[in-house]
Amino acid sequence: MTNRYAVILAAGQGTRMKSKLYKVLHPVMGRPMVQHVLEQVKTVDLGSVVTVVGFGADKVAEYIGNESELVVQEEQLGTGHAVIQAKELLKNKEGTTIVVCGDTPLIKGETYEELFAHHERTGAKATILTTKAPNPAGYGRVIRNEANEVERIVEHKDANEQELLVDEINTGTYCFDNQALFAALEHVSNDNAQGEYYLPDVIEILRNQSEVVSAHLTPDFEETLGINDRVALAQAEGIMKQRINEQHLRNGVGIIDPSNTYIHPDVVIEPDAIIHPGTVIKGNTTIKSDAEVGPFTEITNCHIGENTVIKQSVASDSHIGDRVKIGPFAHIRPESSIGDEAKIGNFVEIKKTNLGDSSKVSHLSYIGDAQVGSNVNVGCGTITVNYDGKNKFLTTIEDDAFIGCNSNLIAPVTIGKGSYVAAGSTITKNVPEDSLSVARARQTNKEGYASKIKNRQKD
C-alpha cells in the first residue's frame, strides 16, 4: 500500500462565527470540531499528520496534543498558502497526502478510506472528494469536460453564469500525489477576486500538465458540511446527534425520543438501558444494561450500574452502583461513589462522598466530604458541616447508623456503628458504637407568652 499522510487545515479565524473562540474549537456534541476531524482521518493508516493552525494555535495544541504535528500559518492567505506551511515536514516523502478542512467534523473515516482507495486505484495525481448539493450557492463548482474528467474547480465568487448552474461541488477534501502537490503549489497564483492562493488551482495546474485528475463522488451531502457560522454549527450538531443516537438504537439501547436526547461520542451504553427525553449524557460515561436515565437528567463522566434509575437529576465524575435509585432533583457532585441498592431522593446533594450499599439519603440533605457505611439511614434535612471557612473536614458514619431529621454533623466527627442521632441534634463530638446521641437544648414552654408578643406588635 502507498504511504499515506494528512494535512488538516485549521488556521481560519472564523469571523462569521462571531465568537472569541477559535473556529475549529467550537464543539459538536461536546467535542471540538477539529478533534472529530483528526480522530476520523486517523482511522486510516497514516505515516504522519500535520495540522496547520493560525489564530489560537496554543489552544488547538492543547486539544490535539501529540496526535498531530503543528505548523503555523502566520498570515491567512488562502488554502494553497496554508498547505505550503507543511512543506518542510512532507516535501521529501513519497506517497499520497490527503488534505482536509478542520471545520468538516461529519466526514467519516470510511469516506476518507474510500477516497484514498479511489485515488490509488485510478493512478491519479489528484482526486477531489465531491458531492451533489441541493443548493450549491457558496461552494466551489467541479467543472468536468466532455469526457466527464475533472477539468478545474471554480470558486463561487469567480464562477460565470453557466458554471453557477453546476451542482457538483468541491467538499474541500483532496488526495494528492505528495511530490506533485508541492511542485504544483509553487505555480499557484493569487490573481483572483480575493487575492488569495487557492488550493483548488493545483487541479488546473496538474490538468495543464496532462496529469490524471479524478473525483470521488460521495452520496451524502450532509456528511461534507463545512461549518462557517452558528447556523451550520447547529446543523452539524443535529446531524451528529442523530448519527450517534441511531447507532445506540441499533445496538439495543432504548431511546424514547431521539430528537430530544443528547449523547456525546465517547459514551458507552449497554443494550436494554432506557434513556428518557431531555437527557444529556456527556464525557466518558458508561451506562450498564437495564439502567434507566431521565427524563431531564444530565450525566457527565459517570459509571451507572445495572438496573439503576436516575430521574430529573445531575451527576458528574462519579461511580454509581447497581440497583440504585436517584432523584428526582438530586445532585451527585464529583468524586462520589454510590453503593449498590442505595437511595438518594429529592433535593439531596452528594459531594466527594462514599455512600455504602443499601444506605439511604431520601430528601433535603447535603452530604459532603463523607464516608457513609452500609445500611445507614440519613434523615430529612441532615447536613454534614464540612467547611470551617478555610478547610474541609471528613464526616464518618459507620454501618447501620440512623441519623434523625434536621441533624448537623460538625466535621471532623464519627458516628459509630449502629448508633442513633436524635432528630434536631448538632453533633460536635464522636458518637460511640450502639449509642443514642441527643444534642439539643431542653424544651421550655412559656404558657400565655404568645399573646404578649401579639399585643406588643399591635402597639
Side-chain angles (χ1 to χ4, degrees):
M1 185 178 68
T2 305
N3 293 327
R4 294 172 172 180
Y5 315 99
V7 176
I8 299 174
L9 305 182
Q13 187 175 8
T15 54
R16 280 180 283 175
M17 300 297 288
K18 292 182 170 57
S19 171
K20 61 181 177 293
L21 182 64
Y22 187 48
K23 176 182 176 181
V24 298
L25 295 183
H26 279 269
V28 177
M29 291 305 290
R31 181 185 292 172
M33 66 175 85
V34 71
Q35 188 177 348
H36 284 288
V37 174
L38 182 60
E39 289 183 359
Q40 290 301 312
V41 81
K42 290 195 76 173
T43 62
V44 180
D45 187 18
L46 297 171
S48 62
V49 180
V50 181
T51 301
V52 183
V53 296
F55 297 97
D58 291 342
K59 291 185 178 180
V60 176
E62 290 177 15
Y63 283 96
I64 292 177
N66 297 323
E67 295 297 310
S68 171
E69 296 182 87
L70 294 179
V71 293
V72 179
Q73 184 186 20
E74 298 289 352
E75 294 182 88
Q76 277 64 61
L77 300 177
T79 52
H81 181 260
V83 175
I84 289 174
Q85 309 311 306
K87 181 177 179 180
E88 291 304 311
L89 295 174
L90 297 176
K91 65 180 180 180
N92 295 323
K93 297 182 183 293
E94 298 284 345
T96 301
T97 294
I98 189 171
V99 179
V100 302
C101 297
D103 61 0
T104 55
L106 299 174
I107 300 179
K108 301 174 185 176
E110 297 95 313
T111 302
Y112 290 131
E113 179 59 48
E114 290 168 3
L115 178 62
F116 269 114
H118 179 95
H119 176 82
E120 292 164 1
R121 184 172 61 252
T122 58
K125 290 294 183 181
T127 302
I128 310 157
L129 182 66
T130 69
T131 192
K132 294 290 185 72
N135 177 11
Y139 291 96
R141 307 307 204 278
V142 177
I143 308 302
R144 296 177 180 264
N145 59 23
E146 294 178 356
N148 205 37
E149 298 170 336
V150 176
E151 190 170 89
R152 67 187 186 280
I153 300 172
V154 180
E155 294 297 317
H156 178 89
K157 49 187 167 289
D158 297 319
N160 60 36
E161 290 185 9
Q162 185 175 357
E163 291 165 339
L164 288 173
L165 298 176
V166 174
D167 66 349
E168 185 179 10
I169 63 163
N170 173 25
T171 67
T173 298
Y174 313 85
C175 274
F176 294 100
D177 174 272
N178 190 66
Q179 297 288 321
L181 168 63
F182 287 103
L185 282 170
E186 298 294 328
H187 302 288
V188 171
S189 166
N190 66 344
D191 184 17
N192 52 60
Q194 296 296 309
E196 294 184 349
Y197 299 88
Y198 293 147
L199 180 61
D201 288 353
V202 168
I203 302 301
E204 189 170 0
I205 291 169
L206 292 174
R207 284 287 301 164
N208 291 338
Q209 294 173 354
S210 300
E211 300 289 2
V212 176
V213 175
S214 182
H216 175 63
L217 180 67
T218 184
D220 187 356
F221 168 72
E222 285 188 339
E223 184 181 352
T224 67
L225 180 69
I227 298 175
N228 293 312
D229 56 25
R230 301 277 189 168
V231 174
L233 183 66
Q235 291 172 339
E237 180 95 358
I239 294 166
M240 182 74 74
K241 174 170 68 72
Q242 180 180 357
R243 183 187 296 178
I244 292 169
N245 288 351
E246 182 176 318
Q247 187 62 48
H248 284 296
L249 287 165
R250 295 187 184 281
N251 289 339
V253 177
I255 302 177
I256 305 303
D257 184 0
S259 64
N260 286 300
T261 303
Y262 295 79
I263 303 173
H264 286 191
D266 295 325
V267 173
V268 176
I269 308 178
E270 292 187 354
D272 291 321
I274 302 295
I275 313 298
H276 289 277
T279 295
V280 180
I281 308 173
K282 302 187 289 187
N284 294 309
T285 292
T286 298
I287 300 176
K288 306 296 282 186
S289 63
D290 297 305
E292 192 172 346
V293 179
F296 305 107
T297 293
E298 182 177 335
I299 306 292
T300 306
N301 298 325
C302 287
H303 170 95
I304 310 296
E306 293 182 1
N307 291 286
T308 287
V309 177
I310 305 177
K311 296 182 178 181
Q312 290 105 351
S313 295
V314 175
S316 58
D317 301 287
S318 295
H319 185 282
I320 299 169
D322 300 338
R323 301 175 299 282
V324 176
K325 293 184 179 180
I326 297 177
F329 313 119
H331 188 184
I332 312 301
R333 291 174 55 191
E335 298 184 59
S336 294
S337 179
I338 311 302
D340 297 342
E341 300 181 341
K343 180 182 179 182
I344 298 171
N346 50 298
F347 303 106
V348 172
E349 182 176 348
I350 304 288
K351 174 253 179 184
K352 202 173 182 180
T353 289
N354 292 328
L355 185 70
D357 296 346
S358 301
S359 289
K360 298 178 181 179
V361 188
S362 294
H363 30 234
L364 298 167
S365 295
Y366 170 73
I367 308 298
D369 296 283
Q371 292 285 340
V372 181
S374 300
N375 299 301
V376 171
N377 186 84
V378 178
C380 176
T382 294
I383 306 294
T384 58
V385 185
N386 58 334
Y387 185 49
D388 68 356
K390 183 177 181 182
N391 299 303
K392 299 289 181 70
F393 297 96
L394 180 69
T395 297
T396 301
I397 306 173
E398 296 180 350
D399 297 348
D400 303 312
F402 184 99
I403 311 300
C405 294
N406 198 34
S407 294
N408 295 306
L409 309 180
I410 312 296
V413 70
T414 296
I415 310 301
K417 183 177 179 180
S419 292
Y420 278 69
V421 172
S425 293
T426 296
I427 304 299
T428 59
K429 297 178 181 179
N430 292 342
V431 177
E433 263 186 43
D434 196 32
S435 299
L436 169 64
S437 182
V438 183
R440 59 192 184 211
R442 185 180 297 276
Q443 181 174 330
T444 301
N445 296 330
K446 295 185 177 182
E447 295 183 10
Y449 198 80
S451 297
K452 294 181 180 180
I453 294 174
K454 292 174 184 177
N455 292 330
R456 191 182 308 138
Q457 290 173 344
K458 291 177 182 179
D459 295 339

